[in-house]
Amino acid sequence: MTYYVTTPIYYVNDAPHLGHAYTTLAADVLARWHRRRGEDVWFLTGTDEHGQKILRTAEANGVGPKEWADRLVHESWQPLWEHLEIANDDFIRTTQQRHTDRVREFVQDLHDRGEIYKDSYEGPYCVDCEEFKLPGELLDGEGEYAGQKLCPIHKKPVELLKEENYFFRLSAYTVRLLAHYEANPGFIQPESARNEVVNFVRQGLQDLSISRSTFDWGVKVPWDEQHVIYVWIDALLNYATAVGYNENPEKFDSTFPADVHLVGKDILRFHAVIWPALLLANGLPLPGRIAANGWLLVGGEKMSKSNLTGIKPQDLTAHFGVDAYRWYFLRAIAFGQDGSFSWEDFSARYTSELANDYGNLASRVTAMVGRYFDGELPAATADGEAERAVREGLARAVAEADRRIGEELDFQGGILAVFDFVKQVNGYLTEQQPWKVAKDPSAEVRARLATILYTAAESLRAVAVLLDPVMPETSGKLWESLGAEASLGALADQRIQDAAEWGRLPAGATVTKGAVLFPRLS
């Protein structure tokens, strides 16, 4: 079976910001990690291009919605993912026929099963959320919005919407959803998100309006083309249509359902309530896990275009580099919790952990092999207790990183496990003082020097493997500087499970100092 991981598909009402990139980076690292385990992996991302919000944005920019979507996808979304080294297997757009045809079939099937009926509805609607709101969720407006009710997420006035629509019998799935949550406590993560969803469903679900008739930018309802399918129903089905629903049974059966859906916590209910209910209604299996990340905050405010805290990822990569960017957000913020970003924090962590701890270790080791052994990695023939401690430290780091990242989605914890080992190797060098050992030319002491430098180089070989899913460009540079490409083969062929197998980097490998992995910040 395929390990299937997804991001949300993102609205193309504007260019991506750090919040979008954060979820996508987490999914990319998770997918790369499982590939590094030797598993068959399918990583999906894409864009959500229908709905009233997209229509209004396009009109405000004087173009049609499809033209607007094409422009944003080709000029902003896909180029950014390429820039950030996002290694997705597929990029789905909800305007593609491979998606729209299957959406119509899925909804038709629900209709044929008696899961859909027609009725009228009136209630407060947030266009930015593309969601009807419950009156109790709304905020009282102040200032320019005094006397109006606001969406609690976007802080904008909601609209009173009254339509005759088609409804999905969501209320019929309250008991089955609660039973699934209880039987599968890891289905929704983190626990705080699970508790929120369970409490919401326990209050009783209302049937869901799944069509709109006041605008036409969407997938037509197959039995009534005066209506378009509600954009969230359209969007959620991408996880099925992208892997061959009703089109490629072999692909679908080997891939679906997703092992992990990574989502922002503000869209958790759609994924943890509506999506599994739709699957239950159509007789399809439920995903393994819905994992909600927190918000990125700047000055205590959620990062978004609407509150002007949006920051371009390119602003940061231009200063810190792409690999440092990939590392920082997963290292600095515990996945599932809100986390604050600041330029000062990024700079401090970059200097302390990347440049001083990791980059300096690589520079020192490769330089000493060049200085004392003419760039040829020596054999370790004088092992002692200190070397055994390093090997044991590596074994712990590999096991902990694999468990935390591969199983628990604790990216921060996994990265810290690797960097704790980096610190251990730095401490080992400080204690062993190879620069002093090198002053004694005797054979016995020379063997000791060789062992110290081999131990450090072999440790770096393992670190390159472990950090490759997080920082692929840097790991590739380190791999080459250790001479591993020639002696072990491509870094992409190395498995997480083998990283702790000591002695894989053979004596005689040609070690070169290479460029500084993390240059000092200007």
Side-chain angles (χ1 to χ4, degrees):
M1 293 293 290
T2 298
Y3 186 84
Y4 182 24
V5 58
T6 75
T7 72
I9 52 172
Y10 303 106
Y11 281 129
V12 291
N13 59 306
D14 212 328
H17 57 61
L18 295 184
H20 303 118
Y22 176 61
T23 309
T24 310
L25 279 173
D28 182 65
V29 170
L30 183 62
R32 286 174 180 267
W33 194 272
H34 279 266
R35 290 193 191 106
R36 187 48 55 85
R37 281 176 161 186
E39 299 174 24
D40 183 20
V41 173
W42 196 256
F43 169 25
L44 174 70
T45 189
T47 45
D48 186 357
E49 302 177 11
H50 288 132
Q52 193 170 21
K53 179 163 61 173
I54 304 301
L55 179 62
R56 288 184 178 180
T57 301
E59 290 173 344
N61 285 272
V63 297
K66 183 61 166 62
E67 181 182 349
W68 176 258
D70 288 345
R71 179 190 303 175
L72 266 291
V73 168
H74 296 311
E75 296 180 5
S76 297
W77 289 89
Q78 289 180 328
L80 178 60
W81 296 161
E82 292 172 7
H83 175 63
L84 295 180
E85 299 289 343
I86 304 300
N88 51 294
D89 296 287
D90 194 7
F91 187 99
I92 191 164
R93 301 178 57 185
T94 56
T95 51
Q96 293 172 332
Q97 190 171 351
R98 64 165 173 155
H99 174 74
T100 58
D101 286 352
R102 304 291 85 78
V103 168
R104 286 167 60 90
E105 292 166 2
F106 188 102
V107 174
Q108 181 68 62
D109 194 25
L110 288 180
H111 183 263
D112 294 345
R113 290 169 180 253
E115 298 284 352
I116 293 176
Y117 64 93
K118 195 173 187 179
D119 203 346
S120 59
Y121 187 84
E122 181 176 5
Y125 190 80
C126 173
V127 174
D128 281 349
C129 288
E130 292 284 10
E131 180 186 18
F132 280 105
K133 297 293 182 179
L134 298 176
E137 296 179 302
L138 302 178
L139 305 176
D140 291 324
E142 298 178 353
E144 64 175 312
Y145 297 138
Q148 302 182 68
K149 292 294 185 178
L150 309 184
C151 167
I153 295 174
H154 292 96
K155 310 296 192 298
K156 293 180 180 180
V158 294
E159 301 178 12
L160 187 63
L161 190 63
K162 182 176 182 179
E163 289 184 340
E164 185 177 57
N165 296 330
Y166 289 96
F167 285 75
F168 167 59
R169 300 184 189 277
L170 180 63
S171 60
Y173 292 90
T174 301
V175 174
R176 291 182 65 181
L177 287 173
L178 289 173
H180 186 77
Y181 303 152
E182 183 175 358
N184 301 274
F187 179 66
I188 304 169
Q189 295 181 349
E191 185 176 0
S192 58
R194 179 185 184 277
N195 293 338
E196 175 192 325
V197 170
V198 170
N199 291 336
F200 174 76
V201 176
R202 278 178 179 162
Q203 297 173 21
L205 297 174
Q206 298 179 355
D207 289 349
L208 177 70
S209 171
I210 64 161
S211 74
R212 299 289 181 268
S213 58
T214 55
F215 60 92
D216 62 359
W217 180 237
V219 181
K220 301 289 187 182
V221 172
W223 63 88
D224 185 349
E225 295 202 348
Q226 298 302 309
H227 290 249
V228 294
I229 296 168
Y230 174 37
V231 65
W232 265 105
I233 302 301
D234 169 9
L236 288 167
L237 293 179
N238 92 91
Y239 306 127
T241 63
V243 291
Y245 170 76
N246 265 15
E247 185 175 28
N248 185 341
E250 182 178 354
K251 172 72 173 176
F252 188 74
D253 292 343
S254 66
T255 308
F256 194 85
D259 292 86
V260 181
H261 289 306
L262 297 183
V263 303
K265 68 177 183 179
D266 51 337
I267 56 174
L268 178 62
R269 288 183 189 175
F270 295 102
H271 287 82
V273 179
I274 297 173
W275 176 227
L278 290 171
L279 295 174
L280 289 171
N282 232 341
L284 293 172
L286 272 57
R289 189 165 14 174
I290 314 290
N293 62 258
W295 287 338
L296 294 184
L297 307 175
V298 175
E301 289 289 329
K302 178 192 174 187
M303 192 172 294
S304 68
K305 296 293 181 181
S306 59
N307 63 14
L308 303 181
T309 58
I311 298 174
K312 292 180 180 178
Q314 295 92 330
D315 295 341
L316 298 181
T317 60
H319 185 68
F320 295 100
V322 170
D323 269 13
Y325 177 98
R326 290 174 58 95
W327 166 86
Y328 171 76
F329 285 97
L330 298 181
R331 155 61 184 100
I333 299 169
F335 192 82
Q337 300 178 19
D338 293 349
S340 295
F341 162 79
S342 75
W343 195 281
E344 294 77 14
D345 183 60
F346 197 161
S347 297
R349 292 183 189 275
Y350 177 100
T351 300
S352 173
E353 298 179 43
L354 293 185
N356 293 348
D357 289 348
Y358 183 26
N360 190 44
L361 174 63
S363 294
R364 286 199 297 165
V365 172
T366 54
M368 284 189 288
V369 173
R371 181 180 308 121
Y372 303 133
F373 292 94
D374 296 325
E376 182 176 309
L377 185 66
T381 59
D383 264 8
E385 185 61 33
E387 287 70 44
R388 283 191 288 274
V390 171
R391 292 196 292 271
E392 291 170 358
L394 174 59
R396 287 193 300 271
V398 171
E400 184 171 358
D402 193 28
R403 172 176 57 84
R404 288 185 178 272
I405 295 176
E407 301 300 330
E408 299 174 0
L409 310 189
D410 179 6
F411 303 100
Q412 182 187 65
I415 291 171
L416 286 176
V418 179
F419 273 79
D420 282 345
F421 177 66
V422 169
K423 291 179 180 178
Q424 181 182 355
V425 179
N426 273 311
Y428 165 80
L429 285 181
T430 299
E431 291 173 0
Q432 301 305 314
Q433 297 183 310
W435 47 89
K436 288 188 177 180
V437 175
K439 294 178 181 179
D440 188 335
S442 66
E444 181 180 352
V445 176
R446 185 78 173 165
R448 184 67 196 142
L449 175 63
T451 298
I452 295 169
L453 293 183
Y454 180 86
T455 299
E458 173 66 348
S459 298
L460 284 171
R461 184 273 311 165
V463 169
V465 174
L466 293 172
L467 291 180
D468 183 59
V470 181
M471 297 187 284
E473 182 180 0
T474 301
S475 289
K477 290 178 180 178
L478 178 56
W479 191 255
E480 291 181 9
S481 75
L482 293 171
E485 187 78 29
S487 57
L488 288 178
L491 177 58
D493 297 331
Q494 307 303 306
R495 290 159 59 104
I496 292 292
Q497 301 93 311
D498 299 330
E501 182 183 324
W502 195 260
R504 290 180 65 83
L505 188 61
T510 300
V511 176
T512 55
K513 189 172 187 299
V516 174
L517 296 183
F518 300 100
R520 298 294 176 183
L521 298 173
S522 57

